[in-house]
Amino acid sequence: MKQLPDTALLERMQAYNDKAAFDELYRRYWEQLYMAAYARLQQDADAKDCLQEVFVSLWNKRRELQIQGPLGPYLHVALKYRILNHLRSNHNYQKHLDLFAAVPPAVFSRADDRLVLAEIQQIIQQTINAMPEKMREIYILSRQEQLSVREMADQLGVSQQTVKNQVSTALKRLKDALARFK
């Protein structure tokens, strides 16, 4: 396997589900991709997670892939987008936390913290359930699936601006629903 070029290994993966061919490609590219991911993320676990997702995607999509040119640059571009999605997801996660940060700390200093938290969670769930179907779907893809705006737009067949508007409106509805906790 070590003597075969990348194209031959890819062909073996695609045609015969050859795990050994995949393993060889993994060995060839893992270190350089890890170094690139770590240089950008500065976190070992995050770099490894992104790299793992790139290789899992390579294996899962092996039959559909039509890579033009060498595999190395393709993997680097795939890693770049995975890192961007990771950073975007962390940003979305932070936005989600910011929604909870809007609830004043005094609310949580009461003796009935668990009840208040349960009530807040119930209000959030009810608000999400009351959203129009498309808005709810976009909100869930954004916050729970952590998809990027572009990924959601592509998946749902709508414009990126529509996705942004729907997420913004959903967050406003949630903020309004939690306003009484101020």
Side-chain angles (χ1 to χ4, degrees):
M1 288 281 174
K2 292 184 180 187
Q3 301 82 5
L4 292 175
D6 292 351
T7 53
L9 293 171
L10 275 171
E11 287 173 13
R12 291 178 64 114
M13 267 178 43
Q14 292 174 323
Y16 307 108
N17 292 326
D18 190 336
K19 179 79 168 75
F22 172 79
D23 291 343
E24 178 58 29
L25 291 171
Y26 182 88
R27 279 189 287 282
R28 286 183 189 180
Y29 289 100
W30 188 89
E31 186 175 355
Q32 64 180 283
L33 291 171
Y34 170 79
M35 290 183 343
Y38 185 83
R40 179 65 175 99
L41 296 169
Q42 297 294 307
Q43 293 287 329
D44 179 64
D46 290 345
K48 287 179 179 175
D49 286 347
C50 287
L51 194 55
Q52 182 74 16
E53 290 178 26
V54 167
F55 279 107
V56 166
S57 178
L58 178 67
W59 178 257
N60 288 340
K61 296 180 180 180
R62 66 190 174 280
R63 296 212 187 268
E64 299 93 45
L65 287 177
Q66 294 181 358
I67 299 171
Q68 306 297 322
L71 180 63
Y74 171 85
L75 291 173
H76 277 276
V77 169
L79 178 63
K80 171 186 153 185
Y81 285 112
R82 182 58 229 142
I83 289 170
L84 289 173
N85 285 340
H86 172 78
L87 294 171
R88 198 174 295 120
S89 293
N90 283 350
H91 180 68
N92 284 340
Y93 178 71
Q94 186 59 46
K95 281 185 194 175
H96 200 61
L97 288 179
D98 291 345
L99 183 63
F100 282 101
V103 178
V107 170
F108 295 108
S109 63
R110 295 188 215 151
D112 58 347
D113 286 354
R114 288 185 205 178
L115 293 174
V116 172
L117 182 58
E119 184 180 356
I120 290 172
Q121 289 172 332
Q122 183 180 16
I123 290 169
I124 289 171
Q125 193 57 53
Q126 287 172 344
T127 304
I128 292 169
N129 292 342
M131 290 176 186
E133 184 179 342
K134 188 63 79 173
M135 182 185 296
R136 181 175 54 249
E137 184 178 10
I138 289 172
Y139 177 82
I140 289 170
L141 289 173
S142 170
R143 296 306 190 251
Q144 292 175 2
E145 301 292 326
Q146 298 182 342
L147 295 182
S148 69
V149 170
R150 181 182 210 167
E151 290 170 327
M152 289 184 284
D154 291 345
Q155 183 174 331
L156 299 172
V158 297
S159 73
Q160 290 183 30
Q161 189 59 48
T162 298
V163 170
K164 290 176 189 176
N165 292 344
Q166 292 290 320
V167 169
S168 177
T169 303
L171 290 174
K172 183 180 180 333
R173 287 182 181 204
L174 286 166
K175 186 176 179 182
D176 290 346
L178 294 172
R180 71 184 179 103
F181 288 98
K182 288 185 178 180

